[in-house]
């Protein structure tokens, strides 16, 4: 059974930093593309970024609102995904989900498995 | 603002058919995926690719695409289908970034 368990959320002041973790099990983590998706209170889903598998280059992509402030990394030996968030803003307040990203060539992609999410609150 | 546009709310009578749409330029070359989210829960993938359902998703859910519009159809809507539905695709810049629609609140009457 695939499981994704996020941790590390909490209350942080504007300008502060936080690191989220996502522990994965039930699939071959090292082969997986992984993404973070967030959801502000009462709002819709927003894609944050992804990291490809190392065999596909291990590169990262980010949404414009977080580029330069957030960093996604992975430790395949620990089956763990990370999201380092710096220079946090009040608008970063959201539930952060880690997801697996499947794809079929360049024609489609999808987020098949989701964690339960971890809440990050940025407030003074 | 989202590059994928969804109607904010749609309603359907119990047992009837409802179509939820998603519009965006990237959908001309990229299939949408669809997610169901109930209050307090994580999203669940219901449709991906041309028209694929993950294991456990009822066959009353189907997907289609035409031009710049992707559609999620629920044939014979059930009370448990009342939820928010989000479409997802890649952005139209060609950078392979992810993008979600604003979501559609489905009410089953």
């Amino acid at each position: 059974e695939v499981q994704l368990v996020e941790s590390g959320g909490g209350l942080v002041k504007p300008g502060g930093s936080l690191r989220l973790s996502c522990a994965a099990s039930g699939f071959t983590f090292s082969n997986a593309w992984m993404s973070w998706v967030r959801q502000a209170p009462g709002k819709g889903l927003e894609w944050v970024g992804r990291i490809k598998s190392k065999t596909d280059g291990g590169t990262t992509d980010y949404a414009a609102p977080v580029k330069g402030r957030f960093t996604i990394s992975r430790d395949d030996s620990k089956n763990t995904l990370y999201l380092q968030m710096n220079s946090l803003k009040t608008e970063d307040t959201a539930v952060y989900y880690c997801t697996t990203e499947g794809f079929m060539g360049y024609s489609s992609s999808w987020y098949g498995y989701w964690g339960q999410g971890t809440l990050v609150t940025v407030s003074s | 603002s989202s590059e994928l546009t969804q109607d904010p709310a749609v309603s359907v009578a119990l047992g009837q058919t409802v179509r939820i749409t998603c519009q965006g330029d990237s959908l001309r070359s990229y299939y949408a995926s669809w997610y169901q989210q109930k209050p307090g829960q994580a999203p669940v993938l219901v449709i991906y690719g041309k028209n694929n359902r993950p294991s456990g998703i009822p066959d009353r859910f189907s997907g289609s695409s035409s031009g710049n519009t992707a559609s999620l159809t629920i044939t014979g809507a059930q009370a448990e289908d009342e939820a928010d539905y989000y479409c997802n695709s890649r952005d139209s810049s060609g950078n392979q970034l992810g993008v979600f629609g604003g979501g559609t609140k489905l009410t089953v009457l």
Side-chain angles (χ1 to χ4, degrees), chain B residues 82-104:
Chain B
E82 184 163 294
D84 294 326
Y85 290 85
Y86 295 91
C87 62
N88 169 265
S89 180
R90 296 277 172 87
D91 75 330
S92 55
S93 71
N95 293 327
Q96 298 289 306
L97 305 184
V99 62
F100 284 91
T104 297

Side-chain angles (χ1 to χ4, degrees), chain A residues 79-100:
Chain A
N79 287 352
T80 301
L81 175 72
Y82 301 101
L83 178 63
Q84 177 67 44
M85 303 184 293
N86 298 330
S87 303
L88 282 161
K89 306 175 181 181
T90 55
E91 54 263 41
D92 295 318
T93 294
V95 172
Y96 285 74
Y97 297 100
C98 82
T99 76
T100 59

Side-chain angles (χ1 to χ4, degrees), chain B residues 7-77:
Chain B
D7 291 328
V10 170
S11 62
V12 61
L14 184 67
Q16 295 304 299
T17 296
V18 62
R19 176 174 293 182
I20 298 170
T21 61
C22 174
Q23 289 188 302
D25 285 344
S26 63
L27 298 177
R28 295 185 184 279
S29 53
Y30 213 81
Y31 290 113
S33 55
W34 290 91
Y35 303 84
Q36 176 192 70
Q37 186 180 34
K38 297 180 180 179
Q41 298 182 18
V44 173
L45 175 68
V46 295
I47 291 290
Y48 67 99
K50 189 172 183 180
N51 181 20
N52 300 294
R53 282 176 290 105
S55 173
I57 301 300
D59 60 5
R60 62 179 179 271
F61 289 88
S62 64
S64 61
S65 184
S66 178
N68 73 336
T69 301
S71 299
L72 172 70
T73 300
I74 307 174
T75 303

